[in-house]
């Protein structure tokens, strides 16, 4: 059974930064691609970023490109999302997810419980 636990969310002013972490257990972490998604109130969940098994390949949603950075530390079974220049529209619950194979915007069978990020104007 896979467990994904996010942390690092909180309240930040516009222009500020946060770093989210997602700790994985129950699987060989380095065999899986990881992704971050978010869901704002009243909206569908959307893709944010993804990273390959070895960290050598990343992909981002256009809305966060240049502001967010996804990374991973396979020795710690952890994936990170560094979020800079935050905007009020980044307010959402952020989820990490795990999938076999290459990074993608789709098909993630395992999900964390989410962490709230609130950006005030």
């Amino acid at each position: 059974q896979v467990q994904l636990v996010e942390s690092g969310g909180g309240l930040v002013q516009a222009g500020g930064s946060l770093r989210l972490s997602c700790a994985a257990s129950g699987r060989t972490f380095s065999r899986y691609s990881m992704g971050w998604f978010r869901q704002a109130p009243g909206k569908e969940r959307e893709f944010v970023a993804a990273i390959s098994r070895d960290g050598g390949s990343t992909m981002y949603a256009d809305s966060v490109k240049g502001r967010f950075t996804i990374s991973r530390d396979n020795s710690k079974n952890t994936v990170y999302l560094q979020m800079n220049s935050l905007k009020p529209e980044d307010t959402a619950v952020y989820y990490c997810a795990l999938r076999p194979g290459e990074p993608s915007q789709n098909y993630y069978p395992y999900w964390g419980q989410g962490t709230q990020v609130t950006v005030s104007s």
Side-chain angles (χ1 to χ4, degrees):
Q1 187 72 8
V2 176
Q3 281 195 319
L4 301 173
V5 180
E6 300 96 335
S7 61
L11 174 64
V12 63
Q13 287 188 330
S17 298
L18 280 176
R19 188 176 82 154
L20 306 183
S21 299
C22 173
S25 62
R27 294 273 175 160
T28 304
F29 181 71
S30 60
R31 294 182 180 176
Y32 297 89
S33 294
M34 300 295 297
W36 285 98
F37 293 76
R38 66 187 182 186
Q39 187 168 19
K43 295 187 178 181
E44 292 187 356
R45 188 163 56 192
E46 64 175 358
F47 170 78
V48 174
I51 190 166
S52 60
R53 288 165 285 188
D54 65 356
S57 177
T58 58
M59 54 191 304
Y60 296 93
D62 287 344
S63 59
V64 306
K65 211 170 284 185
R67 299 188 298 122
F68 291 11
T69 303
I70 188 171
S71 61
R72 65 190 295 163
D73 185 340
N74 287 344
S75 69
K76 296 182 179 179
N77 287 0
T78 301
V79 62
Y80 304 98
L81 186 67
Q82 178 67 43
M83 306 186 294
N84 298 329
S85 302
L86 283 161
K87 305 175 182 179
E89 51 263 45
D90 295 317
T91 295
V93 177
Y94 282 72
Y95 300 88
C96 71
L98 178 150
R99 74 180 303 272
E102 298 306 308
S104 170
Q105 298 187 30
N106 303 300
Y107 183 61
Y108 284 79
Y110 300 104
W111 294 82
Q113 84 290 347
T115 185
Q116 176 71 46
V117 172
T118 304
V119 184
S120 64
S121 57

